[in-house]
Amino acid sequence: MKLYSNSFSPNARRPRICAAELGIKLDIVELDFQKGDWKAPAYLAKNPMGKVPTLEDDDGFLLWESPAMLVYLANKHPDKGLAPTDARGKADVARWMFWNASHLESGVMTFAFEKMVKPQFLGQPTDEARAALGLADWDRFAPVLDAQLAGKDWLCGKFSIADIAVGVTVDFAAMVGLDVAKHRNISAWMGRLRERASWKA
Ligand SMILES: N[C@@H](CCC(=O)N[C@@H](CS)C(=O)NCC(=O)O)C(=O)O
């Protein structure tokens, strides 16, 4: 199975961590942003968004959107128990993955784009008003996650793809300077995630 990826991409970390949890070997195809690999016609034919990651299974099945990859990989290996099989368990995991993509990650990415990507990679100035919107989203949504994690080791009862989906976002939030440490339950949970062999790999 191939993963078109970039080593700086937080989104690409999701399928990489999940594959490591499942013992799947991924052939990583590193795309060079500077060379425009992501916008080349051959790549756009695999992923019309021109983004990473893209997963390509051995029979040519193509998938983009990292949370969908988590669902695909976990469902290919149901014996590993990374995704629940009952209706409520599935809905709970889906809830946190959709919540992350539409709320928490959206704010983190806005902040990261303004504070890191624009100045460091694009040579453009930060739009402080947009960065403040990202920060406001973080300040609004991180407490929801912190409350969910009170008294729990994992987001949805046992370790699942929801922890991978949301944990990658929180790791990235910390990297771009958002205050993760003040949220004690999130910090403890991130400590548990970072101890996993898949996370370290
Ligand atoms: N929702 C997508 C987001 C993918 C994404 O935005 N990837 C970034 C790298 S982390 C990218 O390729 N950016 C290049 C661009 O937007 O042109 C996913 O979860 O896979």
Side-chain angles (χ1 to χ4, degrees):
M1 208 182 292
K2 277 187 196 161
L3 185 76
Y4 296 86
S5 179
N6 179 275
S7 33
F8 292 108
S9 163
N11 291 297
R13 281 189 80 204
R14 293 199 182 94
R16 296 174 78 151
I17 290 168
C18 190
E21 288 282 344
L22 296 168
I24 297 172
K25 186 187 170 312
L26 289 177
D27 292 328
I28 303 292
V29 182
E30 179 80 8
L31 299 186
D32 189 329
F33 182 65
Q34 305 292 347
K35 288 190 189 151
D37 289 353
W38 304 358
K39 313 296 175 197
Y43 185 66
L44 289 172
K46 295 182 192 296
N47 181 336
M49 294 292 285
K51 288 175 177 271
V52 291
T54 302
L55 189 70
E56 186 170 9
D57 207 343
D58 296 339
D59 62 358
F61 173 70
L62 285 163
L63 192 61
W64 37 278
E65 286 301 316
S66 60
M69 292 171 203
L70 298 182
V71 172
Y72 179 67
L73 294 172
N75 286 335
K76 274 192 90 158
H77 295 270
D79 52 304
K80 297 284 171 57
L82 283 190
T85 50
D86 64 297
R88 290 186 185 187
K90 281 183 186 175
D92 193 27
V93 163
R95 177 232 311 264
W96 286 104
M97 290 172 71
F98 282 117
W99 172 84
N100 186 58
S102 33
H103 300 302
L104 191 74
E105 183 179 54
S106 161
V108 170
M109 287 301 180
T110 298
F111 185 85
F113 188 69
E114 292 301 333
K115 289 289 194 184
M116 185 186 75
V117 177
K118 279 171 76 174
Q120 286 182 29
F121 295 103
L122 303 178
Q124 294 172 15
T126 295
D127 178 337
E128 294 293 348
R130 279 190 57 78
L133 288 176
L135 177 60
D137 274 352
W138 170 258
D139 284 341
R140 178 176 171 194
F141 299 124
V144 175
L145 178 62
D146 199 61
Q148 170 67 11
L149 286 165
K152 293 190 187 75
D153 279 352
W154 306 114
L155 254 181
C156 302
K158 59 185 286 224
F159 179 77
S160 75
I161 52 175
D163 295 288
I164 301 175
V166 183
V168 163
T169 299
V170 173
D171 234 357
F172 190 59
M175 201 189 102
V176 299
L178 288 163
D179 190 354
V180 174
K182 76 175 174 191
H183 302 288
R184 302 180 66 131
N185 301 317
I186 296 179
S187 289
W189 167 70
M190 282 312 305
R192 287 187 286 280
L193 286 171
R194 290 178 185 138
E195 278 307 306
R196 295 183 80 88
S198 61
W199 218 268
K200 291 179 183 166

